[in-house]
Amino acid sequence: MPAKQDIRIEAISLYFLPVKTRIPLKFGIETTTHVCCARVRVIVSSRKGKRAEGWGETPLSAAWAWPSDFSYDARLTAMQDFCVILAQVWNDFKAWGHPMELGHAFLNDILPEVLASFNEKRMAINLPEMPWLSALLCTASFDIALFDAYGNLHGLPIFETLNSNFMNKDLAWFYGRKYAQLFKNKYPEDYLVRPAPQTLRAWHLVGGTDILTKDDLTGAEPNDGYPVVLSDWIIRDGLKCLKIKLTGTDAEWDYKRICKVGNIAIQYGVDWLSTDFNCTVTDPRYVCEILDRLMKDAPRIFGMILYIEQPFPYDLDKNRINAHSVSARKPLFMDESAHDWKYLALGRVLGWTGVALKTCKTFTSALLSLCWAKAMGMTMMVQDLTNPMLAQIPHLQLAAHAGTIMGVETNAMQFYPDASAIEATVHPGVYRRKNGCVQLDSLGPTGFGYKVKEIGRPLPKAAWEGTQE
């Protein structure tokens, strides 16, 4: 019998918000200077005809989701085109259910076909195929907006609707027969931190091109009132956690970079480090040799490394690298490889011990990965996609409710702080790190707590807009 709390989509609106970086942001072999955020407004209705709106937003980070020699702007344009196609498809998706059930159905039954059709047309004119990870980024805003609308319709935070009182299906339905007994009569709420903390330790990203000391200044840096040198960031924001971007292809450079950042961290009272090898490593010995060298020659810095993030290529199926030697030294977290919970199962066999969740892979997928990982005893983190504006709020909410190994990565304030200036007037603690933390105490009582009307951001003309019946 369908639940009376079920919703369906009545109308979709899609907006594109361009953002420029104040300093370059390096993703793997690419350096990004601009990005576009896809913002979605969804109108939903209940079975009794009550309506509510919800919002979702995701940066379309082509450099991260679609590594390629094909030009960045061409990839970004293709992702925007795909978002427009998805707006029509989501608008026509008239199934009833809980947003997690609707999101799961869309990801499994609809998105693959839409992507296949899109790529078939691209290949016909000799354009490269868009990968699945990019498709997830494009659909994430719609999925997030659906959750927000559901919470708003029922007058509750979305995390209070992830239980048997609202959902038609338990987790066994999502994971299938293999895990039926493990997840029977279990719901996402069973794996969440309750009550969620209102304060989260914030991780600062040290990019591959970031300025570490005043000796590295060239005079070309922005003079906009925000820090440039790493030590100034640490002092201003009271940082205690630094994530170090590495090459994964130049072991000597990577080792020296870790040591240089590590020594600055020690000098200024930082507690923790993590390392991100940007998915470019193909031999575990590369990582192990760096870690062993640190353990021997810089033991304090080695001890500060809390975890290692995704050294190996995205496609886990095609690159079944035995990672046990790395995870024997430090916790090893999947990120780009963890498109959904099914990849976690393979990763766990190969030696990965944790997962880095991201809202940009859809909120539905993030919840399913969270529950599966916790049931299997895996550790987790919530990693950033440099989320500005509304995108920052579900990102922090997920981290607060997930129970991460340590806080949350949040770096939009480094690379485009002014992009969120309007939102920061309502949620100052969300968009500014103080005493090494971000604060969620300004968020509203329903959905994700955006307070969109209070924020009052002017929006451009919709890139696509469905009509309400």
Side-chain angles (χ1 to χ4, degrees):
M1 182 177 177
K4 62 182 179 181
Q5 295 94 343
D6 285 351
I7 59 167
R8 76 169 186 178
I9 294 169
E10 297 296 340
I12 293 278
S13 300
L14 170 67
Y15 306 87
F16 291 127
L17 283 66
V19 178
K20 290 185 178 180
T21 64
R22 60 179 287 269
I23 56 175
L25 174 57
K26 199 167 189 301
F27 277 108
I29 61 172
E30 288 191 83
T31 300
T32 300
T33 57
H34 63 281
V35 74
C36 180
C37 289
R39 180 177 290 197
V40 168
R41 175 178 180 253
V42 60
I43 304 294
V44 301
S45 66
S46 70
R47 291 186 181 274
K48 292 185 176 181
K50 182 181 177 183
R51 294 195 174 197
E53 72 173 22
W55 294 84
E57 183 174 280
T58 305
L60 301 178
S61 181
W64 180 79
W66 190 349
S68 171
D69 293 333
F70 195 53
S71 82
Y72 172 82
D73 284 335
R75 280 173 281 156
L76 179 58
T77 298
M79 291 177 71
Q80 289 179 258
D81 291 344
F82 193 64
C83 285
V84 172
I85 293 170
L86 287 176
Q88 175 72 68
V89 176
W90 272 101
N91 195 77
D92 294 341
F93 183 47
K94 299 302 182 184
W96 289 94
H98 184 279
M100 193 163 170
E101 296 153 6
L102 298 177
H104 184 260
F106 195 93
L107 288 173
N108 285 273
D109 302 333
I110 297 175
L111 186 60
E113 293 184 7
V114 179
L115 178 61
S117 174
F118 182 74
N119 279 333
E120 185 178 349
K121 292 174 183 177
R122 289 180 61 80
M123 292 172 67
I125 53 176
N126 296 316
L127 291 175
E129 294 182 81
M130 191 173 79
W132 179 249
L133 187 56
S134 293
L136 289 178
L137 254 69
C138 292
T139 203
S141 295
F142 300 92
D143 181 84
I144 292 168
L146 196 57
F147 278 89
D148 184 52
Y150 188 84
N152 291 335
L153 185 117
H154 294 296
L156 291 169
I158 190 59
F159 291 93
E160 292 187 16
T161 71
L162 302 173
N163 52 52
S164 60
N165 294 326
F166 292 89
M167 296 177 66
N168 300 292
K169 310 289 186 182
D170 65 7
L171 285 172
W173 180 82
F174 293 91
Y175 296 118
R177 185 176 301 174
K178 183 176 180 180
Y179 299 103
Q181 285 303 115
L182 180 62
F183 291 105
K184 184 179 180 181
N185 296 325
K186 294 285 188 180
Y187 294 84
E189 185 178 80
D190 296 316
Y191 299 94
L192 300 176
V193 174
R194 303 294 298 275
Q198 295 293 292
T199 301
L200 294 173
R201 185 65 61 87
W203 286 78
H204 175 97
L205 177 66
V206 184
T209 58
D210 283 13
I211 304 296
L212 300 187
T213 70
K214 288 182 170 59
D215 292 338
D216 300 325
L217 293 169
T218 65
E221 296 78 21
N223 183 18
D224 55 7
Y226 297 103
V228 174
V229 178
L230 177 58
S231 58
D232 292 340
W233 275 114
I234 295 171
I235 293 169
R236 193 197 83 150
D237 290 359
L239 299 172
K240 297 297 180 182
C241 304
L242 303 178
K243 170 180 168 176
I244 309 169
K245 282 278 191 179
L246 302 169
T247 67
T249 57
D250 185 338
E252 188 62 23
W253 190 94
D254 286 349
Y255 174 80
K256 289 180 178 178
R257 186 73 168 182
I258 295 170
C259 288
K260 195 167 186 179
V261 174
N263 285 321
I264 293 169
I266 292 168
Q267 181 181 355
Y268 289 93
V270 171
D271 295 327
W272 297 108
L273 306 171
S274 70
T275 57
D276 180 358
F277 288 87
N278 275 311
C279 313
T280 50
V281 177
T282 55
D283 188 340
R285 286 178 296 182
Y286 182 99
V287 180
C288 291
E289 287 171 4
I290 290 175
L291 292 175
D292 290 347
R293 187 176 173 188
L294 287 169
M295 186 163 51
K296 179 177 179 291
D297 298 334
R300 184 170 177 187
I301 294 173
F302 175 83
M304 293 170 69
I305 297 175
L306 189 61
Y307 67 96
I308 307 294
E309 181 185 338
Q310 188 75 42
F312 308 121
Y314 285 29
D315 194 329
L316 200 65
D317 242 345
K318 292 181 180 178
N319 300 276
R320 298 196 175 204
I321 297 169
N322 188 322
H324 285 89
S325 58
V326 178
S327 58
R329 289 161 169 82
K330 288 288 180 180
L332 180 62
F333 282 47
M334 304 173 70
D335 184 355
E336 289 82 359
S337 288
H339 295 349
D340 61 43
W341 69 270
K342 295 172 188 174
Y343 288 94
L344 300 187
L346 175 58
R348 188 165 174 263
V349 170
L350 294 173
W352 300 77
T353 58
V355 57
L357 304 173
K358 276 191 169 82
T359 53
C360 67
K361 300 174 194 174
T362 76
F363 202 72
T364 295
S365 183
L367 288 173
L368 288 172
S369 292
L370 184 160
C371 297
W372 195 92
K374 281 203 170 181
M376 298 298 171
M378 297 180 77
T379 326
M380 64 190 62
M381 186 61 190
V382 172
Q383 298 293 94
D384 205 358
L385 196 64
T386 314
N387 290 305
M389 301 178 288
L390 293 188
Q392 172 80 331
I393 291 176
H395 166 65
L396 297 187
Q397 287 269 45
L398 177 63
H401 289 82
T404 65
I405 192 171
M406 177 64 67
V408 63
E409 181 193 353
T410 175
N411 59 59
M413 55 281 289
Q414 299 171 235
F415 295 98
Y416 25 68
D418 288 344
S420 306
I422 296 174
E423 287 77 11
T425 60
V426 176
H427 303 295
V430 167
Y431 300 98
R432 169 73 189 268
R433 303 171 302 197
K434 291 185 178 180
N435 299 318
C437 297
V438 287
Q439 298 285 343
L440 285 72
D441 54 359
S442 64
L443 299 182
T446 70
F448 285 111
Y450 295 128
K451 298 184 178 178
V452 169
K453 290 182 180 178
E454 287 184 44
I455 291 169
R457 173 178 286 276
L459 294 176
K461 182 181 178 181
W464 194 92
E465 193 160 24
T467 55
Q468 297 184 49
E469 295 177 1

